[in-house]
Amino acid sequence: MLTQQQLATMLALQDKMNTKVNPDWINAGYGYLRAAMVESVEAIEHHGWKWWKAQQKDLPQLQMELVDIWHFALSACIIDSKGEVSTAAESIAAQLALGDVIVTFDGREYQPKQQSLLDNLELMTGLCAAKRFSVPLFMEIVEQCDMHADELYRQYVGKNVLNFFRQDNGYKEGTYKKEWQGREDNEHLVDVMNDLNLSDASFSDNVYKGLQARYTA
């Protein structure tokens, strides 16, 4: 289960990233759950659903889609909490503390733990289309995709920090180089994160510092 510290860190990073895009993002009316719905459909594609042809589940791509969905879900939660990150963290923690949940949608009850991954992805898509998001359902999907809470946290923070790092080093202006020392920046990111303590409250700051040290070298 995600810890309170992990939730606080991710929500603060999401708020910071959204503010970088638009300082008034809370009131901009962006369709974050619409975006999550589209990503959910893409996750279904990576899972495979066509019964008339042979398909292989692409687990790495599925995991990447889940990290993207989580970005949008956190944004929606912050908006629901009137921009209060601490309130959003408490809300998510309260949902997770419920344990096994029943999701009610369109007058029918669903038990995520008793459903297949594909059925849960479809349920999440439907909820997002109806402007709703179930954190327990999402975390069950994360588990079904062979991820755990720490790995979701690690991948989320890594992608968020790398996006910031790129912007701060000329990505928008076209001066940023994605390859340094013969390797792409996302490869450097993996090395940096592997050398850090995931439970450290300064994990995200240390990831950024690690990237900066390698980039300037």
Side-chain angles (χ1 to χ4, degrees):
M1 183 181 293
L2 292 167
T3 67
Q4 195 74 26
Q5 178 60 57
Q6 288 173 333
L7 286 171
T9 297
M10 289 189 289
L11 286 160
L13 285 172
Q14 191 62 49
D15 181 44
K16 187 177 177 182
M17 174 57 74
N18 291 352
T19 300
K20 195 175 186 72
V21 174
N22 180 357
D24 193 35
W25 73 272
I26 292 288
N27 301 308
Y30 297 141
Y32 289 106
L33 290 184
R34 182 185 301 119
M37 176 193 70
V38 173
E39 299 290 349
S40 299
V41 172
E42 291 180 7
I44 290 173
E45 289 289 342
H46 291 307
H47 179 285
W49 59 275
K50 297 174 182 176
W51 60 90
W52 61 87
K53 61 182 289 188
Q55 291 185 297
Q56 292 291 327
K57 180 169 62 179
D58 190 337
L59 200 55
Q61 285 296 323
L62 261 172
Q63 292 177 348
M64 287 176 63
E65 296 295 349
L66 292 181
V67 174
D68 288 341
I69 290 167
W70 193 230
H71 279 75
F72 297 126
L74 291 177
S75 299
C77 189
I78 294 172
I79 290 173
D80 287 344
S81 300
K82 312 300 182 188
E84 295 294 329
V85 170
S86 59
T87 303
E90 291 171 2
S91 174
I92 295 175
Q95 291 185 61
L96 292 174
L98 294 174
D100 294 353
V101 297
I102 295 175
V103 177
T104 303
F105 180 61
D106 199 21
R108 179 178 170 184
E109 293 185 341
Y110 298 86
Q111 294 178 288
K113 284 193 174 296
Q114 296 182 15
Q115 294 198 149
S116 69
L117 170 57
L118 184 57
D119 285 340
N120 279 334
L121 287 170
E122 187 176 67
L123 177 58
M124 180 169 65
T125 304
L127 285 171
C128 289
K131 310 302 181 190
R132 292 162 55 192
F133 194 85
S134 168
V135 174
L137 169 62
F138 176 78
M139 293 307 297
E140 177 62 27
I141 292 171
V142 167
E143 212 171 286
Q144 288 178 316
C145 287
D146 293 342
M147 292 179 77
H148 47 75
D150 282 348
E151 182 60 18
L152 174 65
Y153 175 72
R154 195 177 79 93
Q155 288 198 33
Y156 172 87
V157 172
K159 183 164 186 179
N160 187 289
V161 172
L162 181 58
N163 286 339
F164 264 107
F165 182 79
R166 287 170 171 172
Q167 291 294 330
D168 290 344
N169 287 277
Y171 195 69
K172 188 175 182 180
E173 294 78 16
T175 58
Y176 175 73
K177 293 179 174 61
K178 289 183 69 175
E179 187 173 306
W180 0 301
Q181 303 168 29
R183 305 173 69 201
E184 289 192 3
D185 56 4
N186 53 9
E187 295 179 86
H188 287 285
L189 173 67
V190 171
D191 288 347
V192 168
M193 290 196 297
N194 285 342
D195 290 337
L196 297 174
N197 182 359
L198 195 67
S199 60
D200 192 326
S202 300
F203 178 68
S204 60
D205 291 334
N206 292 337
V207 171
Y208 191 100
K209 290 175 183 176
L211 289 173
Q212 190 68 53
R214 284 170 171 250
Y215 190 64
T216 55

